[in-house]
Amino acid sequence: MAGTEELRKVLITGAGSGFGHEVAMRLAEKGFEVIAAVEIYGQVQTLKRQAAERGVRLQVEKLDVTHDGDRRKALAWNVEILVNNAGVGEGGSTVDIPARNIRHEFEVNVIGPLLLTQGIAKQMVKRGAGRIVWVSSREGLNVNPFTGIYSASKHAVEAIAETMAYELQEFGIEVATINPGPFLTGFNDRMFQTWESWEDDPSERLFDYAELSFPRAQFDPEPVYATMTAVAAGEVDSYRNLEPKSMIEETKRLQQVPWERKVTDGLGTRPQALQNSYEMKPETPVADGTSPSRR
């Protein structure tokens, strides 16, 4: 069986921006052979130029995880480490988001990555070694108002990843998750703009989304870059990797809330967690005196 220290070829999906972009660069700087996958061809040359400016070499490929032809193409790359990072966020109430947007959320965040992983995982099994990293979210463990559909997709990722870890254990395949909290990359705030393109009847919506923003102050993303790079590189062996670590205890506490909640709690009143979306300004960084949760 090949040793995990020999795993060098990494595929990172969603490498055109955010976490995937920076982690692709850092793994290349560490000497890994990095295949940086982007959603559309228009991102390919841009990422190649950015890599050259950074002084690293990336194999940049167009890979839309929802496209069967793209997923099939990836099977020729002999991937040893797979980082399922591609994802989209859909903001809005669970009772307002249109069907098309709900389906797209699950196609990009759950179904596409799982189908991609199925083929690559079987190649890893034949090789006798491999590492699969699922970029989930803190929202895969907790929930917040207006991010419920995104959170549902990440709860699904949590179930898939944890089950996969058991199923692939005997074949020598490592499985891990990354659980970023609220980080200021632009992703969270863009979630609260998707309503602008909904194909629905605005008069039927329960909420006026022009009044709402992402409900939490957001951290500098450096801890996610560092942890995600280390997990992909095999330098960290913990299965669940939540950042920032300062939110671990809050996350565990909130997981207990549904066990204690009564169906009549707060009926007829607006919860503070929802009111935060009215009060928070977009792209608010965590700073001295600013609570990251306001939960």
Side-chain angles (χ1 to χ4, degrees):
M1 179 178 292
T4 56
E5 70 277 359
E6 299 172 2
L7 303 176
R8 305 304 296 173
K9 183 174 277 193
V10 188
L11 169 61
I12 304 180
T13 63
S17 62
F19 300 141
H21 182 279
E22 180 62 22
V23 172
M25 298 288 186
R26 294 191 183 194
L27 286 170
E29 288 170 346
K30 283 178 168 286
F32 284 84
E33 187 177 345
V34 179
I35 305 167
V38 296
E39 182 184 5
I40 60 174
Y41 281 111
Q43 296 173 291
V44 171
Q45 205 57 38
T46 299
L47 185 51
K48 285 183 177 179
R49 184 179 68 251
Q50 291 167 336
E53 292 170 353
R54 187 88 167 241
V56 299
R57 183 181 179 279
L58 299 177
Q59 177 183 336
V60 183
E61 299 282 354
K62 185 264 187 184
L63 172 56
D64 178 346
V65 295
T66 69
H67 192 282
D68 184 59
D70 283 0
R71 294 193 301 263
R72 196 178 312 116
K73 180 172 63 175
L75 297 178
W77 298 337
N78 298 313
V79 174
E80 297 172 329
I81 303 168
L82 172 61
V83 182
N84 282 314
N85 171 73
V88 295
E90 185 71 43
S93 168
T94 53
V95 297
D96 279 343
I97 297 176
R100 170 182 281 187
N101 300 72
I102 295 171
R103 290 190 180 97
H104 182 66
E105 184 80 27
F106 278 81
E107 288 288 347
V108 176
N109 290 6
V110 183
I111 299 171
L114 176 56
L115 293 175
L116 174 69
T117 302
Q118 285 181 342
I120 291 175
K122 288 173 182 174
Q123 292 179 330
M124 292 177 175
V125 168
K126 290 178 181 178
R127 193 180 299 119
R131 182 176 303 126
I132 299 168
V133 180
W134 287 90
V135 180
S136 178
S137 172
R138 185 175 180 270
E139 295 272 304
L141 306 171
N142 297 157
V143 299
N144 278 290
F146 306 123
T147 58
I149 298 303
Y150 171 75
S151 183
S153 74
K154 292 303 185 178
H155 275 66
V157 165
E158 287 292 320
I160 289 167
E162 189 172 355
T163 306
M164 186 174 288
Y166 285 116
E167 293 168 343
L168 297 184
Q169 176 178 310
E170 65 186 276
F171 301 106
I173 313 302
E174 301 172 16
V175 179
T177 66
I178 307 290
N179 295 76
F183 286 92
L184 192 53
T185 64
F187 181 89
N188 296 318
D189 295 286
R190 301 297 78 77
M191 284 177 65
F192 277 71
Q193 291 182 291
T194 57
W195 63 271
E196 297 172 1
S197 299
W198 286 356
E199 296 176 0
D200 68 339
D201 180 355
S203 69
E204 294 293 322
R205 297 173 187 166
L206 285 188
F207 298 93
D208 181 354
Y209 295 101
E211 298 181 1
L212 304 178
S213 299
F214 183 74
R216 306 175 73 100
Q218 300 174 68
F219 293 90
D220 181 278
E222 174 57 35
V224 179
Y225 298 154
T227 296
M228 193 166 154
T229 300
V231 172
E235 298 166 357
V236 172
D237 63 1
S238 51
Y239 167 77
R240 176 170 288 161
N241 301 275
L242 189 147
E243 293 288 352
K245 293 180 175 61
S246 61
M247 297 186 81
I248 290 176
E249 289 309 311
E250 178 194 356
T251 300
K252 291 179 178 179
R253 176 176 58 80
L254 290 175
Q255 286 182 296
Q256 297 303 311
V257 169
W259 292 98
E260 304 160 3
R261 183 175 183 136
K262 302 290 189 290
V263 296
T264 54
D265 285 352
L267 284 184
T269 67
R270 174 178 290 171
Q272 185 59 48
L274 193 150
Q275 180 63 26
N276 289 343
S277 286
Y278 288 91
E279 299 175 358
M280 187 70 71
K281 295 186 185 309
E283 301 182 14
T284 298
V286 171
D288 291 341
T290 302
S291 168
S293 65
R294 301 187 65 185
R295 181 78 181 236

